[in-house]
Amino acid sequence: MADAPTVKNIERLTARLISPADPVKLIPLAGPSDGSPTSVFFEIWEPGGAQPDNSHPDSVEIFIVLSGEAEATSDEHTTPLRQGDVLILPKGSVHKIRNTSATERLYTVTVMTVDNEGSMPHGFEHLVTSGTPTTLDDEDKAALFARYLPQAAA
C-alpha cells in the first residue's frame, strides 16, 4: 500500500527565527521530516533585513518573490529582485538576499533542492525548526493568505 500524502494547514505552521535577533522569519512548509528531499519555506524579511552570507554545497536554492524588492548577491554577481522574479542560485554559490526597502517587508517562497545534511548538522530544515518561534502579524497574514486581506465595502 502506498504512503498517504501529507497535508498541512499553513495557518497552523510555526514561523521561526534561526537566531533570536534574526531579521528573517522562516515558515517550514515541506522537508525531510515530511519524507521530502526538497525543503520549502515561506521567508519574510523585515525592512532592510538580510541574511548573512551563506552557501549550500549540494543544493540549488530558488527564491520566488511574492512581494517586495531586494538585492541578491551570488559570488561576484549582484542583481535586483522584485515581485514576480524567480532567482535560481547555483550549488555552492556564496549568496545573500537583502530587502532593499526601508519600509516594506519582502516575501518569498524558497525552495532548496536537497536539505544539505552534509553541509550542516542534521540539515537546513533542522536548523530552521530548531530556531526561535515567532508570530505572524496582520501584515504577514495579509501577504500570505488572501482571506486576511481587507474586504471592500459592498
Side-chain angles (χ1 to χ4, degrees):
M1 178 177 226
D3 291 338
T6 300
V7 177
K8 298 179 180 183
N9 185 293
I10 200 155
E11 293 181 64
R12 294 189 187 118
L13 299 177
T14 302
R16 304 265 180 184
L17 302 171
I18 291 176
S19 65
D22 204 5
V24 182
K25 297 177 190 174
L26 294 100
I27 306 168
L29 302 176
S33 63
D34 304 305
S36 172
T38 300
S39 291
V40 182
F41 304 90
F42 274 129
E43 292 195 46
I44 305 165
W45 279 259
E46 291 299 324
Q51 81 245 100
D53 285 344
N54 64 97
S55 182
H56 312 284
D58 301 321
S59 181
V60 170
E61 192 168 13
I62 302 162
F63 292 85
I64 304 161
V65 180
L66 302 176
S67 66
E69 294 184 355
E71 179 179 84
T73 303
S74 176
D75 298 320
E76 71 273 12
H77 308 282
T78 300
T79 187
L81 299 173
R82 62 184 173 87
Q83 183 177 12
D85 286 344
V86 177
L87 172 68
I88 303 161
L89 297 168
K91 288 181 189 178
S93 68
V94 176
H95 55 268
K96 96 190 264 182
I97 309 294
R98 182 179 62 84
N99 181 352
T100 54
S101 175
T103 59
E104 302 296 320
R105 290 183 178 142
L106 170 68
Y107 294 89
T108 70
V109 170
T110 306
V111 179
M112 191 172 299
T113 58
V114 298
D115 192 55
N116 275 293
E117 193 166 330
S119 66
M120 60 189 65
H122 310 292
F124 189 71
E125 180 194 41
H126 182 265
L127 176 70
V128 172
T129 57
S130 298
T132 305
T134 189
T135 58
L136 300 179
D137 62 19
D138 289 343
E139 181 182 349
D140 295 333
K141 290 177 182 177
L144 299 174
F145 316 117
R147 71 183 245 177
Y148 290 103
L149 293 174
Q151 300 298 312

